């Protein structure tokens, strides 16, 4: 977390905590036909209610906000979170523990609905959901994300280190754009190959890189990925929620590259 983000995080957290349940659930707002889906880990239980509050305070209403929690942890959930369960927010339980849960279980539960994923350690601006839905409407049959990277290869066709996955100065191939989950990702119905829910495969090939797994599944269905033309303000990190984060290992030790290489080899993906 950056130093300049601390006062913003404190102010936003206090503002969200002041909102009553009536305020969070009561006002009539335009509805959008999407499911907002996320998962979490125990170390973030104590701040998770702030994330959900930021989702309930959006300018538009999704069909449902679904939180996937590992079975056996229901008694560990704080009241600050469970009291938010209501007409727009529900908690569902799953046997798995991988980060892939934020999407795969909602794909199974809501096969005919568009799904937007988000992370469990960020506060989302009020126009976040509205903007993603608007951008998706302008780009039908595409995966749309507020944050993306561009898969880069060297002259020999080998994958470059993840830190070098940046956009070229001119032109780009949407099939090499990868959606980054933190900023929010819109998945239209049928965007991913049905193998997306096969846990044994994603735990074998990309156990710590759900974004890469979903990218591979989109390539198998030949679904393009696009960066939003006008991304919303960057979500605000919650103080104390990012002590445990996959990006520290995946990026710092370049695990994203090795997991992507495994996916490319297994599925014979053509991206370079």
């Amino acid at each position: 977390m950056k130093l300049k983000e601390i006062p913003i995080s404190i102010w936003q957290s206090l503002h969200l905590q002041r909102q009553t349940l009536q305020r969070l659930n009561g006002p009539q707002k335009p509805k959008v036909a999407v499911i907002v889906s996320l998962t979490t880990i125990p170390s973030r239980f104590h701040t998770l209610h702030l994330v959900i509050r930021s989702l309930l305070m959006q300018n538009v209403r999704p069909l449902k906000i679904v939180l996937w929690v590992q079975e056996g942890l229901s008694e560990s959930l704080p009241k600050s979170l469970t009291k938010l369960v209501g007409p727009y927010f529900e908690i569902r339980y799953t046997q798995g523990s991988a980060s892939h849960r934020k999407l795969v279980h909602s794909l199974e539960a809501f096969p005919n609905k568009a799904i937007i994923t988000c992370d469990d350690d960020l506060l989302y601006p009020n126009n976040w959901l509205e903007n993603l839905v608007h951008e998706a409407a302008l780009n039908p049959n595409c995966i749309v994300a507020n944050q993306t990277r561009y898969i880069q290869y060297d002259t020999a066709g080998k994958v470059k280190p993840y830190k070098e996955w940046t956009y070229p100065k001119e032109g780009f191939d949407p099939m090499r754009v990868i959606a980054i989950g933190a900023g929010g990702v819109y998945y239209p119905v049928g965007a991913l190959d049905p193998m997306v829910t096969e846990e044994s495969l994603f735990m074998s090939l990309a156990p710590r890189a759900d974004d890469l797994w979903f990218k591979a599944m989109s390539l198998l269905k030949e679904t393009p990925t696009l960066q939003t033309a006008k991304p919303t303000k960057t979500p605000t990190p919650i103080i104390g929620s990012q002590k445990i984060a996959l990006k520290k290992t995946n990026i710092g030790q370049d695990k994203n590259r090795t997991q992507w290489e495994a996916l490319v080899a297994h599925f014979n993906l053509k991206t370079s």
Side-chain angles (χ1 to χ4, degrees):
M1 186 175 190
K2 299 177 181 178
L3 185 62
K4 65 179 181 180
E5 293 174 324
I6 293 176
I8 300 173
S9 180
I10 292 173
W11 185 89
Q12 291 185 357
S13 296
L14 290 174
H15 174 71
L16 288 168
Q17 290 184 80
R18 293 192 192 103
Q19 307 307 312
T20 64
L21 290 178
Q22 183 178 8
R23 169 71 173 166
L24 293 171
N25 293 310
Q28 293 296 317
K29 298 180 181 180
K31 294 183 179 180
V32 291
V34 299
I35 302 295
V36 174
S37 183
L38 68 162
T39 189
T40 191
I41 54 178
S43 63
R44 293 176 180 167
F45 282 178
H46 67 293
T47 58
L48 189 55
H49 68 288
L50 296 171
V51 182
I52 303 303
R53 283 174 175 268
S54 77
L55 297 176
L56 290 171
M57 287 292 288
Q58 295 295 304
N59 294 337
V60 296
R61 292 277 191 209
L63 297 173
K64 189 74 68 174
I65 300 166
V66 181
L67 171 68
W68 295 95
V69 176
Q70 188 174 358
E71 287 182 352
L73 296 177
S74 60
E75 297 299 321
S76 301
L77 297 178
K79 185 177 180 180
S80 61
L81 176 66
T82 57
K83 74 177 183 180
L84 298 178
V85 171
Y88 304 108
F89 171 57
E90 66 180 57
I91 300 173
R92 296 194 180 195
Y93 295 91
T94 171
Q95 293 182 349
S97 60
S99 58
H100 308 61
R101 294 176 298 168
K102 67 183 179 185
L103 179 58
V104 295
H105 296 311
S106 284
L107 289 172
E108 294 171 323
F110 310 99
N112 299 314
K113 301 297 181 185
I115 297 171
I116 291 179
T117 61
C118 62
D119 276 7
D120 63 337
D121 57 351
L122 299 170
L123 303 177
Y124 290 88
N126 291 358
N127 64 340
W128 169 80
L129 178 57
E130 182 179 26
N131 183 68
L132 265 177
V133 171
H134 174 72
E135 292 273 355
L138 297 177
N139 300 281
N141 304 314
C142 291
I143 295 168
V144 179
N146 278 317
Q147 296 178 24
T148 62
R149 281 185 177 255
Y150 193 80
I151 304 170
Q152 288 283 11
Y153 298 83
D154 62 21
T155 54
K158 294 184 178 180
V159 185
K160 288 187 176 182
Y162 184 76
K163 291 181 179 180
E164 297 181 30
W165 288 15
T166 56
Y167 279 86
K169 293 182 179 180
E170 295 183 6
F172 70 93
D173 179 358
M175 304 310 289
R176 287 171 61 175
V177 176
I178 178 171
I180 305 302
V185 185
Y186 180 103
Y187 294 93
V189 176
L192 305 177
D193 188 274
M195 282 190 290
V196 66
T197 60
E198 293 190 15
E199 184 175 1
S200 60
L201 263 182
F202 65 68
M203 290 304 294
S204 171
L205 299 169
R208 298 176 63 82
D210 52 274
D211 290 342
L212 300 183
W213 173 251
F214 301 142
K215 178 59 183 177
M217 295 299 101
S218 73
L219 287 174
L220 293 179
K221 282 297 293 282
E222 300 183 351
T223 303
T225 300
L226 298 175
Q227 164 89 40
T228 51
K230 296 180 179 179
T232 52
K233 184 179 178 181
T234 302
T236 304
I238 301 172
I239 295 175
S241 66
Q242 298 182 319
K243 294 178 181 179
I244 300 175
L246 290 177
K247 64 182 180 181
K248 293 180 180 179
T249 299
N250 286 350
I251 298 177
Q253 300 179 20
D254 207 17
K255 295 295 185 180
N256 275 331
R257 175 167 62 165
T258 57
Q259 289 175 97
W260 182 245
E261 288 173 335
L263 289 165
V264 170
H266 183 86
F267 294 111
N268 193 28
L269 300 176
K270 304 297 183 182
T271 58
S272 60

